Amino acid sequence: MCLWTSRSIIILESNLGQSQLHKMLIQAGDRKQVRAEDAHSSLRNLVYTIWSQGNCESHVDIIRMLGAIDFFLPYFPLEASNLQDLFAKRLHNQAEQLQGSDAANLTWSPAVVEFLLSKVDFGDCKVGEPGCYPVEGGRPVSTIMTRYVTRALKQWRIKQEQQRQQQRQQSKAKNPGWQGSIQRRKDTLKRKLSSSLQDIQLQVDRHNRALVIV
């Protein structure tokens, strides 16, 4: 079998250099101030040291392998602004799903994103300070969205179903002799839902402990 790699990009990932990159960020004050060449040199030297200490390859082979790597690209830790973007994107995805499944137009205020961000563990530092990064990166985003946004949507759907049941009971009481088919009632409901979107808003409750939909 022959592999054609002249137009391929091979990416090798490693968690080496975390402390070195963190120090570079602290010294620079901002990731935009870190020169890519400086990060490349620091990571290349680190990899050379680690490989040399392993006594697995000769010095010549190590140099040859390092020479085959075009560039050491640093992966800096996420910042609060990155998580805000992630939460906003997940909320937009949720809003698109609601338009199709529940015929609802979901909106939210910036306070909702700040509330979700406040549930992320940043350790002992203050969010926004230089060198303050989320302990687990972007991993908690999905869990936090499920715990607060999905729960609020579930409670809203329960209330919507209760209202529909109440309306059906009132309709039966007004028209006891009408016996429409199940499919006919479903079609009528779908037409009503598709005719207009229900505007709902995701808000932080007055105790600042949960999210609610109004």
Side-chain angles (χ1 to χ4, degrees), residues 40-112:
H40 165 81
S41 178
S42 177
L43 293 175
R44 187 179 188 281
N45 293 338
L46 175 64
V47 171
Y48 171 79
T49 302
I50 297 297
W51 285 357
S52 298
Q53 293 175 349
N55 296 322
C56 296
E57 303 290 343
S58 66
H59 173 76
V60 175
D61 289 334
I62 292 176
I63 296 299
R64 185 181 295 116
M65 286 187 292
L66 287 175
I69 300 176
D70 295 313
F71 193 78
F72 286 83
L73 181 66
Y75 283 87
F76 292 117
L78 295 178
E79 299 176 346
S81 60
N82 302 128
L83 293 186
Q84 288 175 324
D85 293 339
L86 287 175
F87 280 123
K89 183 177 181 180
R90 293 292 296 272
L91 287 170
H92 280 292
N93 292 341
Q94 191 70 67
E96 291 179 355
Q97 294 177 8
L98 280 173
Q99 289 183 358
S101 62
D102 298 85
N105 182 34
L106 177 67
T107 59
W108 58 90
S109 67
V112 171

Side-chain angles (χ1 to χ4, degrees), residues 178-196:
W178 183 75
Q179 298 293 333
S181 67
I182 296 178
Q183 187 61 43
R184 181 179 175 183
R185 290 197 296 271
K186 287 184 177 180
D187 293 340
T188 302
L189 180 60
K190 286 182 179 180
R191 286 196 298 270
K192 289 182 178 180
L193 290 176
S194 60
S195 61
S196 62

Side-chain angles (χ1 to χ4, degrees), residues 80-149:
S81 60
N82 302 128
L83 293 186
Q84 288 175 324
D85 293 339
L86 287 175
F87 280 123
K89 183 177 181 180
R90 293 292 296 272
L91 287 170
H92 280 292
N93 292 341
Q94 191 70 67
E96 291 179 355
Q97 294 177 8
L98 280 173
Q99 289 183 358
S101 62
D102 298 85
N105 182 34
L106 177 67
T107 59
W108 58 90
S109 67
V112 171
V113 177
E114 292 299 325
F115 172 84
L116 296 172
L117 182 65
S118 68
K119 304 305 175 183
V120 178
D121 183 12
F122 282 84
D124 298 329
C125 64
K126 184 178 180 181
V127 178
E129 290 182 346
C132 187
Y133 308 108
V135 176
E136 297 183 278
R139 186 179 303 175
V141 170
S142 296
T143 302
I144 293 173
M145 287 289 297
T146 300
R147 183 177 302 169
Y148 294 99
V149 179

Side-chain angles (χ1 to χ4, degrees), residues 16 18 21 54 63 123 149 171 192 198 201 203:
L16 291 175
Q18 180 179 356
L21 293 177
I63 296 299
V149 179
S171 178
K192 289 182 178 180
Q198 178 183 1
Q201 187 176 45
Q203 297 180 353

